[in-house]
């Protein structure tokens, strides 16, 4: 067989580990792999490179993706859809492994509906793909956010300030939840909950009264109501570029204005997406990449490799795409146990 592999959507640590696993698992059974460049764009425009085992040597622990990525919707027009099918035929691809989040996997599902032999691997630092316990990238990104929070604690403590850390997370607050829980934040704001300013101000006041400073973690996806920011910029899938809203900076302004406590904010943005994957993500990406190849070899096209409990298994793309896995009430309840 001839495998194709692509990495689409926002990059995250672990993509190279997954690509390596696909190439080496396929090679073990004597199959060749071609890497498409920049996600679905490479399939649409027929841009690829051969991926021999030697090409993936040493990439397991490297951040980013050697294949490049983009947020390209390959089914944006009938012409593009035809180009995709033509490339796969021209390149004689027997099995395509699409590594990505909801948008990339939705495109894989569409390709499968049109007869394409495709399997998926979920990735995203947002951890919001349904049907899998975790996505790789999430633990690495959350470690970066936690490190940032610990640094902010030092300076907040020295200056007796309130500091707001803004982290990524489009519809789901998993990164904020993990950072707030693991870092002992005084308040953590998730997109899953309505924003109540009076509650936030209370927590900040209590924390400052108790120990002289306050730490707030805010997910970029929270809705603060009317605020400055946002240029209205959107990506190819129509998603608002949330970072432009700068909710962390807005929160710091509001806290300072309402309480008189000197406040600062930090937006760590894409820093969370770079760097080496942590051990958990390396292993998860490796397992899922290998599982995707096994799914293809056993004719389970239209499925996506996921982690469920201790096992990696295939579930249908229909189960995995179309709805975000958001933070559940039990996690929210645990989180608020530790609010100031
Ligand atoms: O989907 C992952 C994510 O990191 C979101 O949390 C964030 O809003 C978005 O990507 C930013 O993407 P980019 O700036 O790369 O388009």
């Amino acid at each position: 067989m001839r495998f194709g592999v692509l990495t689409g959507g926002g990059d995250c640590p672990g993509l190279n580990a997954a690509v390596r696993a696909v190439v080496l698992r396929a090679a073990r059974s004597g199959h060749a792999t071609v890497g498409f460049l920049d996600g679905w764009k490479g399939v649409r425009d027929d841009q690829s490179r051969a991926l021999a085992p030697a090409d993936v040597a040493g990439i397991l622990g490297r951040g980013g993706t050697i294949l490049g990525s983009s947020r390209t919707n390959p089914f944006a027009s009938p012409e593009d859809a035809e180009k995709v099918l033509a490339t796969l035929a021209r390149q004689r691809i027997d099995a395509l492994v699409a590594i990505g989040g909801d948008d990339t996997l939705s495109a894989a599902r569409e390709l499968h509906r049109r007869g394409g032999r495709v399997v998926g691997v979920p990735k995203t630092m947002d951890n919001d793909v349904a049907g899998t316990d975790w996505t790789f990238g999430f633990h690495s990104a959350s470690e970066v956010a936690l490190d940032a929070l610990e640094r902010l604690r030092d300076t907040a403590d020295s200056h007796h300030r309130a500091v707001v850390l803004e982290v990524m997370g489009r519809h789901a607050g998993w990164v904020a939840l993990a950072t707030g829980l693991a870092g002992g934040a005084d308040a953590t704001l998730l997109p899953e909950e309505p924003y109540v300013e009076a509650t936030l101000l209370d927590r900040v006041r209590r924390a400052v009264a108790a120990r002289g400073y306050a730490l707030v973690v805010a997910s970029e996806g929270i809705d603060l109501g009317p605020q400055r920011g946002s240029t209205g910029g959107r990506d190819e899938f129509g998603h608002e570029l949330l970072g432009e809203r700068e909710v962390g900076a807005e929160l710091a302004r509001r806290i300072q204005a309402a309480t008189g406590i000197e406040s600062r904010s930090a937006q760590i943005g894409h820093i969370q997406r770079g760097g080496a994957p942590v051990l958990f993500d390396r292993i998860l990406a490796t397992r899922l990449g290998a599982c995707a190849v096994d799914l293809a070899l056993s004719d389970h096209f239209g499925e996506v490799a996921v982690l469920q409990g201790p096992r990696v298994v295939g579930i249908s793309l229909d189960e995995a795409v179309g709805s975000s896995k958001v933070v559940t009430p039990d996690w929210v309840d645990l989180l608020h146990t530790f609010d100031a």
Side-chain angles (χ1 to χ4, degrees):
M1 276 169 70
R2 209 165 129 80
F3 276 80
V5 61
L6 65 87
T7 54
D11 65 348
C12 69
L15 285 170
N16 283 326
V19 169
R20 169 181 174 271
V22 169
V23 171
L24 297 184
R25 189 71 155 195
R28 188 179 76 158
S29 310
H31 306 296
T33 303
V34 166
F36 287 100
L37 307 182
D38 300 334
W40 287 107
K41 184 170 179 288
V43 185
R44 185 192 67 192
D45 301 344
D46 198 359
Q47 291 174 336
S48 62
R49 56 178 275 200
L51 284 179
D55 295 318
V56 296
I59 68 167
L60 170 63
R62 261 170 59 190
T65 163
I66 61 164
L67 293 177
S69 191
S70 69
R71 296 189 188 275
T72 303
N73 180 359
F75 296 105
S77 70
E79 296 75 36
D80 285 358
E82 269 174 36
K83 285 185 191 171
V84 166
L85 295 173
T87 298
L88 295 174
R90 197 179 307 117
Q91 293 281 351
R92 293 175 290 103
I93 300 299
D94 300 301
L96 181 65
V97 181
I99 305 173
D102 194 64
D103 294 331
T104 302
L105 297 178
S106 296
R109 178 174 64 170
E110 185 55 33
L111 176 60
H112 183 248
R113 283 178 178 162
R114 294 169 189 240
R117 290 158 60 91
V118 59
V119 292
V121 171
K123 70 83 214 172
T124 163
M125 60 156 285
D126 291 347
N127 193 40
D128 61 354
V129 176
T132 187
D133 292 353
W134 303 105
T135 52
F136 64 80
F138 166 71
H139 283 80
S140 305
S142 299
E143 288 284 354
V144 172
L146 177 61
D147 178 64
L149 189 68
E150 296 293 7
R151 290 167 191 270
L152 292 172
R153 178 191 304 283
D154 293 344
T155 173
D157 191 6
S158 304
H159 289 270
H160 319 297
R161 288 172 173 161
V163 176
V164 183
L165 171 64
E166 176 186 325
V167 301
M168 278 186 168
R170 192 183 289 284
H171 307 294
W174 291 104
V175 176
L177 171 93
T179 309
L181 254 186
D186 300 301
T188 302
L189 307 178
L190 310 176
E192 286 84 352
E193 293 189 289
Y195 171 68
V196 183
E197 193 147 298
T199 309
L200 172 68
L201 297 177
D202 272 356
R203 287 176 183 152
V204 168
R205 284 193 190 98
R206 268 202 295 274
V208 172
R211 55 160 159 66
Y213 68 94
L215 285 179
V216 177
V217 176
S219 172
E220 66 176 354
I222 60 172
D223 182 4
L224 296 180
Q227 63 164 106
R228 37 176 142 153
S230 188
T231 59
R234 296 193 176 262
D235 66 23
E236 195 165 329
F237 285 88
H239 305 303
E240 184 182 4
L241 301 176
L242 293 177
E244 293 181 357
R245 294 154 70 229
E246 298 182 348
V247 294
E250 172 75 9
L251 283 167
R253 275 193 291 272
R254 291 188 190 186
I255 291 168
Q256 183 161 317
T259 65
I261 299 163
E262 196 177 16
S263 303
R264 296 287 188 269
S265 68
Q267 184 189 48
I268 50 174
H270 294 79
I271 293 171
Q272 293 159 96
R273 297 233 301 251
V278 298
L279 179 142
F280 182 88
D281 285 339
R282 293 181 192 209
I283 292 176
L284 179 59
T286 298
R287 293 178 79 195
L288 295 183
C291 178
V293 170
D294 295 349
L295 289 174
L297 291 176
S298 56
D299 215 14
H300 283 238
F301 292 105
E303 292 194 7
V304 52
V306 296
L307 178 72
Q308 293 190 343
R311 302 178 55 226
V312 289
V313 295
I315 62 170
S316 75
L317 277 160
D318 279 331
E319 284 176 78
V321 302
S323 64
S324 286
K325 182 185 70 181
V326 295
V327 175
T328 47
D330 53 330
W331 278 111
V332 175
D333 182 50
L334 178 69
L335 177 69
H336 292 319
T337 307
F338 307 103
D339 287 334

